Each structure stands twice: as C-alpha cells, then as structure tokens.
Amino acid sequence: MRFRIISVGKIREPFYDQGIKEYLKRLKPYTNIELLDGLEEKTNPQAGLAEIAKCRQKEGRKIMDLMGRDEIAVVFDIQGEMLSSAKWANYIEQLNGRSSSRINMIIGGAFGLDERVKQRAERKISFSPMTFPHQMAVLMLTEQIYRSFKIIRREPYHK
Amino acid sequence: MRFRIISVGKIREPFYDQGIKEYLKRLKPYTNIELLDGLEEKTNPQAGLAEIAKCRQKEGRKIMDLMGRDEIAVVFDIQGEMLSSAKWANYIEQLNGRSSSRINMIIGGAFGLDERVKQRAERKISFSPMTFPHQMAVLMLTEQIYRSFKIIRREPYHK
C-alpha cells in the first residue's frame, strides 16, 4: 500500500523539514510513503473572511484533483476523533491491507481545510485539543506512522 | 516569573534540539525560560521491571532535589488532563502572576515519571492520547508556551 501525506502548507522551517525527512527515511523499510507539501494559495495578510474562504476552496480543489476515485482520504482536524497510538496502529494495519491504490493523509494550512475535502475523508483524526503549527502536525504524523509499523511488527521503538 | 523545563531524557536528535532552541529563542522577549535535560539513569536494555523502577526512583529523587519548596511543578503525562491552547494560555497567564520563585514543567524519560514527582505536581497535563517521544514532547511544550504568550499579548502567531 502506498501512503501520501498531503500538507497544504509548505514545510519551511529547517528543523521541521529535517525531522520529517528523518521519519520518512526510517519508514523506508516498512512502506512506500511520500510527502507532497506547499499547495497553499497566496493572499495578503489583511484578507477578509470571504477572501480566505475562496483560498481554502481553491486549495480544496487542488487536493481533490490529486486523488483518484479509488484512493482513500484521511484528514487531520482539531475537531476530529482522538486515538491512542495502539488504536492508530490498528487503523494503519487495516488501511495497509485494503485494496485501494493509495492512502492520502491530509493536513490543512493556515486557512484550515475545505469542507469538500473533509466530506471526502473516511475518517477525521485529531492529535490533540491543542492547536499546533501545520509543520508540527506533519512531524507528529510521520512519527506516529513510523511508531505504528514498529507496533505492528512488534519491534522495539528505540528513538 | 521564571520557567524551567525539566526533561529527564536527553535531547539527542539534532532536529529536535534545533527546534526546541528556536522556540526558546522566540520566547526570550516574553519570559525567562530555560531547559534542563539529561537526568536519566543508565541501565542495560535487558533490565527487568524492578531495575527500571529503581532507575525511575533515582530520577525522581534528582528532580525533587532540583526544586525549592516554594517552586511550582507541572508534569506532562499521557494520563493527565487535556486542554485547548486557549485554556493552556489561561493557565500560563495565571502561573505567570503567582508569587512562586519558579515554575517547573517536567517531562519524563523512557521509564516514565516517579510517583513522588507526580504527587508533587499541582497539575498533570496530557498533550494527546497518542504516545510521542520525550524529545517531541519537549518541542510541543516549548511551542505551546510560545503560543500562550502570543495569545496572552494578543499578537498574531506568524510561524
């Protein structure tokens, strides 16, 4: 099964970038996974709500266009359900056995995620009731996918 | 008010180290904050439960010895209560106004935290029902303290 993390926001900070690359590298022996980031629409900092909604909609269209019909979408949203790492690993194991061509794990940017994308997702998951930067969310996600494979394979988690 | 983050585990990974230093740097204009890490007791990887409990106890003693009587302790524990970033910022604001000489935010290592330290804490807080590495927890904590000051001062959170 192929996994793709779609991050609307660009990974800009060098330390987040290095951390995400590190977990993706550690995941290499376990699965096929890639990151696609930087789909964000540009707007000026004084943009009103209508302008922001338009940007979010455009970003949503880009995400929808990236996914084939048989692909699975999972979104990360502060309003989503929270899971333990063990339950999350069960879900990853289940996803891994499905016959879809790809699983997309989607993290919104500064404007949040378009309603259409949320509707398309089979599950909405939250890491925390706390708000974290999108770059931190991508780091958390890569780490939790790596942890899942360690749990599934019953291997010790060293670092 | 002075804040001190006590991380039993050492911050080893360069990307976590850089990220934590970046948030501590951003916090400079807002508060007095320092990180103390690497209090862990060494044991062999085949250590049994009794051996691990002894290490945890020794780590606990070191933490207790670090804190003066009038200092405040807050521990981070997966069993703790979860808060939104807004409620967490309220708590930081409240702590900031207290007459204690220091606030210690304590994150356990591979063996977890000693019961004595948990008892000493006025609050046990959890970031997520998911298990994250202690280094990630320290990064999350520095980011959430930085976010709190941005919320308290009603300043925009840029990055």
Side-chain angles (χ1 to χ4, degrees), chain A residues 102-120:
Chain A
R102 179 151 51 188
I103 296 148
N104 298 279
M105 307 255 178
I106 306 164
I107 292 174
F111 309 136
L113 272 178
D114 184 40
E115 213 42 55
R116 261 178 83 202
V117 177
K118 290 189 193 174
Q119 294 296 331
R120 169 73 167 78

Side-chain angles (χ1 to χ4, degrees), chain A residues 13 15-16 18-19 23 26 82-85 127-133 136 139-140 143-144 147, chain B residues 13 15-16 18-19 23 26 82-85 88 127-133 136 139-140 143-144 147:
Chain A
E13 292 275 353
F15 66 87
Y16 280 123
Q18 281 162 39
Y23 286 113
R26 290 186 198 171
M82 287 192 287
L83 302 173
S84 67
S85 291
F127 290 121
S128 172
M130 286 174 166
T131 303
F132 286 100
M136 179 88 86
L139 182 64
M140 289 156 82
E143 194 278 333
Q144 285 298 304
R147 185 177 294 268
Chain B
E13 293 275 354
F15 66 88
Y16 281 122
Q18 282 162 39
Y23 286 113
R26 290 186 198 170
M82 287 192 286
L83 301 173
S84 66
S85 292
W88 164 253
F127 290 122
S128 171
M130 287 174 167
T131 304
F132 285 101
M136 178 88 86
L139 182 64
M140 288 156 83
E143 193 278 334
Q144 285 297 304
R147 185 176 294 268

Side-chain angles (χ1 to χ4, degrees), chain B residues 3 19 38 55 57 62 66 69 72 86 89-90 106 115-116:
Chain B
F3 287 89
C55 286
Q57 224 168 48
K62 285 191 222 171
L66 280 167
R69 278 191 155 201
I72 294 167
N90 283 346
I106 307 164
E115 212 44 52
R116 260 178 84 203

Side-chain angles (χ1 to χ4, degrees), chain B residues 75-112:
Chain B
V75 304
F76 293 83
D77 189 281
I78 198 162
Q79 314 282 3
E81 54 171 330
M82 287 192 286
L83 301 173
S84 66
S85 292
K87 286 206 174 125
W88 164 253
N90 283 346
Y91 183 46
I92 291 285
E93 191 169 23
Q94 192 241 90
L95 284 171
N96 214 21
R98 302 259 288 276
S99 63
S100 160
S101 66
R102 180 152 50 188
I103 296 147
N104 298 279
M105 306 254 177
I106 307 164
I107 291 174
F111 310 136

Side-chain angles (χ1 to χ4, degrees), chain A residues 10-111:
Chain A
K10 182 108 193 116
I11 308 300
R12 288 178 215 282
E13 292 275 353
F15 66 87
Y16 280 123
D17 186 53
Q18 281 162 39
I20 291 160
K21 283 191 177 130
E22 175 62 30
Y23 286 113
L24 292 177
K25 193 180 89 188
R26 290 186 198 171
L27 273 161
K28 275 265 169 68
Y30 299 97
T31 191
N32 186 331
I33 184 164
E34 60 173 335
L35 166 70
L36 181 68
D37 69 328
L39 302 177
E40 69 256 73
E41 283 292 312
K42 277 181 195 74
T43 184
N44 65 67
Q46 279 82 42
L49 284 180
E51 174 73 18
I52 285 171
K54 212 190 280 175
C55 287
R56 192 167 48 229
Q57 222 168 50
K58 279 190 199 166
E59 290 170 355
R61 211 166 304 139
K62 284 191 222 171
I63 297 168
M64 296 298 278
D65 288 347
L66 280 167
M67 296 185 286
R69 278 191 154 201
D70 76 321
E71 296 187 25
I72 294 168
V74 177
V75 303
F76 293 84
D77 189 282
I78 198 162
Q79 314 283 2
E81 56 171 329
M82 287 192 287
L83 302 173
S84 67
S85 291
K87 285 205 175 127
W88 164 253
N90 283 347
Y91 183 46
I92 290 285
E93 191 170 22
Q94 191 240 89
L95 284 172
N96 214 20
R98 302 258 289 275
S99 62
S100 159
S101 65
R102 179 151 51 188
I103 296 148
N104 298 279
M105 307 255 178
I106 306 164
I107 292 174
F111 309 136

